[in-house]
Amino acid sequence: MHWCAGYLRQMLFPAEEGRIETMRFKTNIPRRQFCLAPMRLLLQASVCILRRKREALACAMILPGLCAPALGASTNVMPWNSGLTELNQGWLEHNGDRIEWSRPNFNDDTWDAVDLEDLGPSQPGWHWYRHHVSLGPGQPELRLLISGGLGTYELYVNGIRMPGSILRPCLWVGRPVEAVFPLRDSSGSFEIALRTRIPAGYAAWHLAQFTNVTVGLPTAIEYERQALKSQRLYGLAPSICINFLLCLAGLSALGLYTIQRPEQEYMFLGLYLLLGGISGGLAMLQATGLVPLSANFLIADPLIYVCVIAQIEFTYNFAGQRIGRIWRIYEISLLLPLALAALTWIGWFGSDAYVLIEAAATAPVGLLLSALLFLWYRRGNPEAAWLILPSLAPAVSNALFDLGTASITLSWPAFNFLVEPIQLGPIGLQLVDVGSAVYLFSIAVVMFFRFSRVSHEQARVAAELAAAREIQGRLVPPVLPFHPNYTFEAAYLPALEVGGDFYQILPHADGSIVVVIGDVSGKGLKAAMTGAFAIGALHALAAEISDPPELLSRLNREVLHGQDSGFITCLCVKLNPDGQMTISNAGHLPPYKNGQELTVEGGPPLGLFPDLLYSESQFEINCGDSLTFLSDGVVEARGPNDELFGFERTQAVSSRSAHDIAAIAQQFGQEDDITVVKLKHTPLQLSAVGHSIMSSGCIGMNVLGAQAFENPVNV
């Protein structure tokens, strides 16, 4: 019959020759008038008898077969050779929700006739659709194919709800997908009813609820379903691959950050790529109906704003710049549209306005960052030029895609092409995917060269630190010397991996010892090298000179001639076996004796002025007395409230062990190298391994110890 109707249509309307026709019903006439359609065809055939007698005669012989069954039923679909018949026309619609509307004998004469293909954007709320199909008895088992919003409808056939059609919660509804349902009835008469509920989030994005309803034989329906599914998923694979690569690149960047922690640009780049890949992947999966709409509008869309913040942080860290207040305010303002996404989903805010706000909020980022990068490049930062193109691509492509999305519902046809796939041979790519691919390729090249440069720089720094640690071993003695009249204890905590503090204990042949403690200005490798130079000069001079003022004057001359910049505070103390003590000070902290600060004449630090003559101060140290020498790292320790440790606290703890003093200052808040040297006068009459008993009643102990660089050691 199908070929007869097609031949008749081609004969009566030659201009449409060559088209494949299917039987359709008009949407603007009630269902009870459908039986008049064959009569209209009969009249048209009669008019054409004079023009094409042979063709009209053949059709006239066929028409009784078409008219007879149609005149006996309200809707009669005869068997077809193609195996498919669309049922998009001839539906009746009514708003509301009553379950009895699914019954076959329900009177729906007052309902409105609609065409499912021409319903336009779906409207929120409950809606019912009914359609009566009579195929006649003796039909084979048939299938009904519906392309409709996932989780937005229930299907009833002859009053029975069909399995597989459910109304989902609003967070789990999705775009239209294909579903197949069996049609079984010996009479061949089916009353099809669709009970629908459209959430506000579904209607907010102007989505159609139904795109196709088709009845046919199982094999033909399966082919049709596969064809519709292929059309729906077209372009998914390239987009998913690009976003998957973005996620992998993001994880790789985060892995690089674990290797190079000081380089925070790796962390922000990893977050940007990972979150961007997740956002783009969810958006594409939602667009193809594989995940619910909420995955895009409540997760993927808000992630765009987080990605923009990560892009700003990455750009500034990459260029070595500090983010200003205006950019901070802008980053905070990007969190505001997150609330709009939720309001749009529940229908309290227009989706068109939201899309435009998203485009307006994210588009300037790429342009402004690119302008800043160009400015930094002109100011002498060559690496800034590497990011100009990568910064433009993603922000601009996302903004243009949002503009194209808004143009569809705002009737701006000039911009509709922005949402059309870009064809690269057989592959179709969305504009946002092209921007992501350009960014991924560009940033991969940039970060490869960046990582190579940083790796070489770190290798160089590691070699310098290894040399610095070797130099560090010369700043403090690895083993404190033994002396029959004094015991020594020291603690040393550098602020960085290497420090500029030093101390030396130099015994002389006459039984006296010279204790020198110093602090080089600055920190790190340069300070350590200056300290090593000073110690080398000190050892050379101390072999000839033991007088503290003369020793400091000669050392000042050597430091002044040997160093280009910087200075050294230094305290030199000579202790005789009988307890006589001579102190000369070059800008260093005075020592503490038995918890009391000694008043010592001071002079300028070493390395500032030539031909300096330092003064001396004389003291006497008795049996059992202790001396505490320390660097300004103790006094200048700074607490969480920006409070200095200060001289009062320093004096209060000066009677404690060197280890305790260093640990207390470090816990308070270390900012500089901490050095503490403590000695006690314990003159011995008898010397033995470990103990001696003094005739005066003092008991002493000679202790040897190793001095570590990282942790304080009691010696």
Side-chain angles (χ1 to χ4, degrees), residues 483-692:
H483 195 277
N485 295 310
Y486 300 96
T487 58
F488 304 98
E489 180 187 5
Y492 180 48
L493 293 173
L496 301 177
E497 295 190 44
V498 291
D501 284 6
F502 63 88
Y503 67 89
Q504 295 290 308
I505 301 175
L506 307 174
H508 284 261
D510 60 358
S512 65
I513 58 172
V514 174
V515 178
V516 179
I517 180 171
D519 183 2
V520 181
S521 61
K523 304 181 187 68
L525 179 60
K526 185 176 181 180
M529 294 180 67
T530 302
F533 172 80
I535 288 175
L538 175 65
H539 277 267
L541 295 172
E544 303 175 0
I545 306 169
S546 63
D547 182 52
E550 185 179 357
L551 184 59
L552 286 184
S553 296
R554 293 283 301 275
L555 186 58
N556 174 65
R557 188 182 310 165
E558 296 296 329
V559 172
L560 189 63
H561 292 164
Q563 298 297 316
D564 296 332
S565 61
F567 60 89
I568 303 173
T569 65
C570 190
L571 183 71
C572 183
V573 180
K574 181 181 179 181
L575 295 162
N576 294 318
D578 59 358
Q580 292 297 317
M581 179 171 60
T582 302
I583 301 177
S584 188
N585 189 8
H588 200 78
L589 295 177
Y592 292 85
K593 177 185 176 183
N594 299 330
Q596 298 297 320
E597 181 179 334
L598 295 176
T599 302
V600 179
E601 293 186 22
L606 306 177
L608 293 179
F609 307 103
D611 302 326
L612 287 175
L613 296 178
Y614 290 91
S615 60
E616 65 178 29
S617 301
Q618 297 288 339
F619 298 93
E620 184 177 351
I621 181 170
N622 300 314
C623 175
D625 288 346
S626 64
L627 288 174
T628 303
F629 308 93
L630 44 81
S631 66
D632 58 3
V634 176
V635 178
E636 295 178 358
R638 194 176 297 272
N641 296 326
D642 205 32
E643 180 184 7
L644 288 175
F645 191 75
F647 289 98
E648 293 183 2
R649 291 188 179 93
T650 301
Q651 182 172 348
V653 301
S654 62
S655 297
R656 304 183 67 168
S657 67
H659 176 277
D660 289 345
I661 297 173
I664 291 171
Q666 184 185 45
Q667 292 174 3
F668 190 83
Q670 180 179 7
E671 290 196 345
D672 199 355
D673 303 331
I674 295 176
T675 302
V676 182
V677 178
K678 200 174 185 69
L679 66 84
K680 189 173 185 180
H681 183 34
T682 56
L684 303 178
Q685 278 189 338
L686 299 175
S687 178
V689 179
H691 324 103
S692 296

Side-chain angles (χ1 to χ4, degrees), residues 175 239 243 277-289 291 295-296 300-301 304 401 432:
R175 288 179 180 266
S239 179
N243 287 287
I278 294 174
S279 175
L282 287 177
M284 193 62 188
L285 291 174
Q286 171 272 147
T288 54
V291 298
N296 177 58
D301 263 12
I304 293 177
F401 187 82
V432 291

Side-chain angles (χ1 to χ4, degrees), residues 157-238:
V157 178
N158 294 336
I160 301 174
R161 189 174 72 86
M162 304 301 293
S165 61
I166 59 173
L167 294 172
R168 294 185 174 187
C170 62
L171 290 177
W172 297 101
V173 299
R175 288 179 180 266
V177 296
E178 306 78 28
V180 177
F181 305 94
L183 293 179
R184 302 186 185 94
D185 192 285
S186 58
S187 66
S189 179
F190 303 97
E191 189 67 40
I192 301 174
L194 293 170
R195 180 194 184 204
T196 70
R197 184 189 61 195
I198 303 299
Y202 189 100
W205 298 96
H206 312 291
L207 300 175
Q209 184 175 13
F210 297 104
T211 59
N212 183 269
V213 178
T214 304
V215 65
L217 299 175
T219 302
I221 286 292
E222 179 60 22
Y223 287 149
E224 180 74 2
R225 185 193 67 81
Q226 292 181 4
L228 293 175
K229 182 178 180 181
S230 298
Q231 182 181 4
R232 175 167 55 90
L233 300 181
Y234 176 73
L236 175 64

